Amino acid sequence: MTMPVTVEPPLTASLRLQRDDTPHAMALVTRVQGATAAHPGARAVIGADGTVISGCLGGGCVTGAVRRAAAEALRSGRPVMVALRPAAALDAAGVTAGETRDGWLFARNGCPSEGHVDVFVEPVLPEPALVVLGDGPVAGALMRLATAMDARIAQTAPGQPGCDGFDWTSALRSMTRRDAVVVATQGSGDRDALRAALESQAGY
């Protein structure tokens, strides 16, 4: 007896990854021209390591270019539009594979079919986190505001009293360039908290 294979649709996979705060990219074929295995509306979810988690975009030529675009989208936090073209079409347009022009990243389609494929690659990143260092009135007001805005609050650290010597660096270890830190220690561990904030990976 064989068990049926369950295939997770791309949108379902993306929602699952979002719930787990797992970075990934969603790729969508927007247009095709000529003979190609890709078709408009095809979707795929690409992991941060380049793995195709769900979906299919067509042949390996398309997937390879989209993997590279997904890596760039996840690095920059901005969508990437990919124009996959055969070598002759790239030459005719005066562009080279890997070149970005007018917002499009051009890639060579090495498949024998020599079709044209356009793909929109969108990064799906965890919501930015807010870390408030301190627990005084200012910190409390910020926490209430962040909660009302459905912000992702990674951690609050003590700020009143007796926080001299607190390990602020550990509290900020998981910060990324998309996250924000507010130092609201109000005289209790200010210097150490500010130093840890400046040395963290937080962008704000």
Side-chain angles (χ1 to χ4, degrees):
M1 178 179 176
T2 59
M3 297 297 291
V5 177
T6 301
V7 178
E8 188 178 31
L11 292 177
T12 303
S14 180
L15 288 173
R16 173 177 57 79
L17 294 169
Q18 289 178 61
R19 285 193 297 269
D20 294 338
D21 285 334
T22 302
H24 60 284
M26 176 69 80
L28 172 67
V29 176
T30 58
R31 188 179 75 96
V32 300
Q33 181 180 345
T36 173
H39 62 273
R43 288 186 173 93
V45 175
I46 314 296
D49 61 354
T51 302
V52 178
I53 297 171
S54 174
C56 180
L57 300 173
C61 301
V62 175
T63 303
V66 168
R67 281 177 171 158
R68 292 187 292 274
E72 171 59 22
L74 290 170
R75 185 197 64 78
S76 67
R78 294 188 296 271
V80 176
M81 295 184 295
V82 181
L84 203 70
R85 304 287 185 266
L90 293 176
D91 292 341
V95 295
T96 58
E99 179 181 345
T100 300
R101 182 184 293 184
D102 298 328
W104 287 89
L105 172 64
F106 287 87
R108 186 177 72 86
N109 185 358
C111 292
S113 61
E114 297 190 341
H116 296 205
V117 182
D118 295 340
V119 185
F120 179 72
V121 181
E122 180 180 17
V124 184
L125 300 167
E127 288 297 318
L130 170 68
V131 173
V132 178
L133 304 183
D135 62 4
V138 172
L142 285 171
M143 293 299 297
R144 289 190 296 274
L145 181 62
T147 301
M149 296 174 64
D150 291 328
R152 187 169 65 97
I153 305 168
Q155 180 172 359
T156 57
Q160 308 286 334
C163 284
D164 293 313
F166 182 79
D167 187 3
W168 301 107
T169 300
S170 292
L172 301 177
R173 186 162 288 138
S174 62
M175 302 299 286
T176 71
R177 295 296 301 169
R178 303 178 70 242
D179 298 330
V181 181
V182 175
V183 178
T185 43
Q186 295 185 278
S188 184
D190 292 350
R191 184 175 298 174
D192 291 339
L194 183 58
R195 181 181 295 112
L198 291 172
E199 292 175 351
S200 77
Q201 295 299 311
Y204 303 93

